[in-house]
Amino acid sequence: MNATPHVPPYAPGRVPLIGHAVPLLRNRLAFLQSLRKHGPIVRISVGPKAVTVINSPNLLQEMLTTHSKHFSKGLLFEKLKLFGKDALPVAEGSRHLTRRRLMQPAFHHRQIDTYIRTMYTTVDPMIAAWQGMGPLDMKTEMQLITQNVVMAALFSTTPNRDTGHAILKSVDTLFAAALRRALLPLPLLERLPTPGNRRTRRAGRVMRTAVSEVIADHLAHPDAYDDVVSLLLNTRDPDGTPLADEDILSEVTGLLAAGSETTAVTLTWLFHELARHPELERQLHSEVDTVLTSEPVTAQTLTQLTFTRRLVNESLRMYSPAWLVTRQATEPVRLGGTDLRVGEDIVWSPYTLHRDPALYPDPLRFDPDRWLPERPQPPKGAFIPFGAGKRQCMGNEFALAEATLITALIASRWRLRPVPGPAVRPVGAITLHPSTLHMSAQARTPVGHHREAV
């Protein structure tokens, strides 16, 4: 006789018909944080739909590694196909494995070393242009910088500021649409000619046009480039067939969207915290003034920016950009003694995981020194800003190098000071971003002077 399946309990506060919709709408971050006290795995309901929330780092590791073959990426990633139907970030199964193997060389640590010069030559003139600009919308500025870094390093092109703004606006629109459709999955509404759907289609056209122009230029000058676009254009299937045009378009679009947003919001939060902690800002200035001398900036230079890297790690911990991640069970599976059914929707929150006092002492304190090697480190699976297992973000080393370099270059030239305005609060959209953050750039003179990268 079969044992009775063990299913997760529902969190308290469920209301007939609407479930936990009210606390989710009122403050989704606080609600998800409150679920941690109800155990390692708990259910909530959004209307009639049940969703399983995993709080335990051990269970997350089990799901993302040992049992990963039993799960697809889930509803949110399905809606992110607005950027490209089968692009690597949203691909499943054998297609994901094939594309990951194809793209992996572009993100190998030896290859990332060669991107340092491109990162430097892209970022330095952009932050130099802050002179006399007035208050900066930090999220927008960081998005423009990281977007240009991705395009320069991986696509060998750098748009001007107006074109960059147009691409950025389209990315934000598509991300917002994906989250809205994931939270309210009503396919019929997605096909109606509503203002929101029209904006989404226009944004999609802007993205496709921008990416198509990059691809067309590579096709017209095949010997001029050696980058990710070239890699895709030169790829052949085992039978000698090249990748379909739509597949190349999807991959480039997916990389552009995924590669800029998360790093940008991490940097935005980092400079927000530096403004709140002058002693940390002074320590950062001291390090960059010592390390960024007249010698060229290289990959070796980044290894000397140890405090800068700890600032990046602490920003990723406190403000994990991918604050909500989804999976869906594709077959029955037992996870930590709990039975999950086929089609079970699962979510977890790196944001709440990284702020759990059982895992991090004084978790609401911004403390980059918690990452010193002599300090006790969090248990395995408790720090996963880039995910884990076979779906771990392939661009994690690229993102960390980029964030470290951008932080150091900005700190070597500017002090960023907050502009009076509304209180800054975290907003859980497609990424975790500040509600508003405007800062003024005040010039500073570093002790040493960096000139160029090699």
Side-chain angles (χ1 to χ4, degrees), residues 278-341:
E279 73 284 1
L280 299 182
E281 184 185 56
R282 285 191 294 271
Q283 192 171 343
L284 172 63
H285 288 163
S286 176
E287 178 172 271
V288 299
D289 290 354
T290 301
V291 174
L292 299 185
T293 62
S294 58
E295 296 299 316
V297 177
T298 66
Q300 180 63 30
T301 308
L302 297 192
T303 67
Q304 300 173 50
L305 294 168
T306 55
F307 180 70
T308 310
R309 177 63 176 270
R310 295 202 302 276
L311 285 171
V312 172
N313 279 350
E314 184 67 346
S315 300
L316 285 167
R317 181 194 70 82
M318 273 197 73
Y319 303 103
S320 187
W323 66 278
L324 185 71
V325 190
T326 63
R327 286 293 186 270
Q328 188 177 72
T330 55
E331 53 188 284
V333 60
R334 172 161 283 203
L335 197 64
T338 296
D339 293 290
L340 303 177
R341 304 161 299 184

Side-chain angles (χ1 to χ4, degrees), residues 70-369:
H70 302 304
F71 298 92
S72 67
K73 295 207 75 174
L75 187 59
L76 178 57
F77 291 91
E78 182 66 28
K79 299 306 179 183
L80 284 170
K81 289 184 178 181
L82 281 167
F83 287 101
K85 183 178 179 183
D86 286 310
L88 176 63
V90 296
E92 299 283 5
S94 60
R95 190 179 186 92
H96 170 262
L97 180 60
T98 300
R99 290 296 167 83
R100 189 177 179 95
R101 286 174 175 168
L102 168 65
M103 306 285 276
Q104 191 75 56
F107 294 96
H108 191 278
H109 66 84
R110 287 191 298 271
Q111 184 64 31
I112 290 169
D113 290 350
T114 70
Y115 294 147
I116 301 300
R117 176 178 178 80
T118 302
M119 289 181 182
Y120 176 93
T121 57
T122 302
V123 174
D124 199 54
M126 293 187 75
I127 63 173
W130 289 351
Q131 183 72 43
M133 275 184 62
L136 306 170
D137 180 331
M138 286 301 294
K139 179 174 179 285
T140 298
E141 291 300 318
M142 295 300 103
Q143 284 177 299
L144 288 170
I145 290 172
T146 56
Q147 180 177 273
N148 275 18
V149 166
V150 169
M151 294 185 74
L154 304 184
F155 312 154
S156 304
T157 187
T158 306
N160 61 39
R161 191 174 178 89
D162 288 342
T163 302
H165 261 293
I167 296 172
L168 179 58
K169 184 177 179 181
S170 69
V171 170
D172 284 347
T173 299
L174 292 173
F175 271 140
L179 181 65
R180 184 172 62 249
R181 293 177 180 188
L183 294 176
L184 190 65
L186 298 172
L188 177 61
L189 292 181
E190 296 173 16
R191 295 191 290 269
L192 295 177
T194 63
N197 288 339
R198 287 196 294 269
R199 282 193 300 273
T200 300
R201 284 192 288 271
R202 284 196 299 272
R205 287 194 295 270
V206 170
M207 285 288 289
R208 289 177 68 90
T209 298
V211 171
S212 295
E213 289 174 355
V214 172
I215 294 171
D217 193 56
H218 280 66
L219 287 170
H221 307 93
D223 297 329
Y225 298 106
D226 181 18
D227 55 22
V228 169
V229 180
S230 307
L231 176 69
L232 292 167
L233 289 170
N234 292 324
T235 294
R236 297 293 182 270
D237 288 333
D239 63 358
T241 305
L243 293 182
D245 293 346
E246 187 63 31
D247 286 346
I248 296 172
L249 187 68
S250 291
E251 292 295 352
V252 177
T253 304
L255 277 173
L256 176 56
S260 53
E261 174 77 12
T262 53
T263 306
V265 295
T266 300
L267 289 166
T268 305
W269 285 116
L270 188 156
F271 283 100
H272 168 65
E273 288 292 344
L274 284 179
R276 298 175 66 224
H277 297 90
E279 73 284 1
L280 299 182
E281 184 185 56
R282 285 191 294 271
Q283 192 171 343
L284 172 63
H285 288 163
S286 176
E287 178 172 271
V288 299
D289 290 354
T290 301
V291 174
L292 299 185
T293 62
S294 58
E295 296 299 316
V297 177
T298 66
Q300 180 63 30
T301 308
L302 297 192
T303 67
Q304 300 173 50
L305 294 168
T306 55
F307 180 70
T308 310
R309 177 63 176 270
R310 295 202 302 276
L311 285 171
V312 172
N313 279 350
E314 184 67 346
S315 300
L316 285 167
R317 181 194 70 82
M318 273 197 73
Y319 303 103
S320 187
W323 66 278
L324 185 71
V325 190
T326 63
R327 286 293 186 270
Q328 188 177 72
T330 55
E331 53 188 284
V333 60
R334 172 161 283 203
L335 197 64
T338 296
D339 293 290
L340 303 177
R341 304 161 299 184
V342 175
E344 187 110 15
D345 285 302
I346 298 146
V347 303
W348 77 93
S349 173
Y351 172 85
T352 66
L353 177 74
H354 295 165
R355 289 170 170 240
D356 191 330
L359 302 171
Y360 292 93
D362 199 5
L364 300 185
R365 180 176 173 233
F366 187 82
D367 178 18
D369 284 348

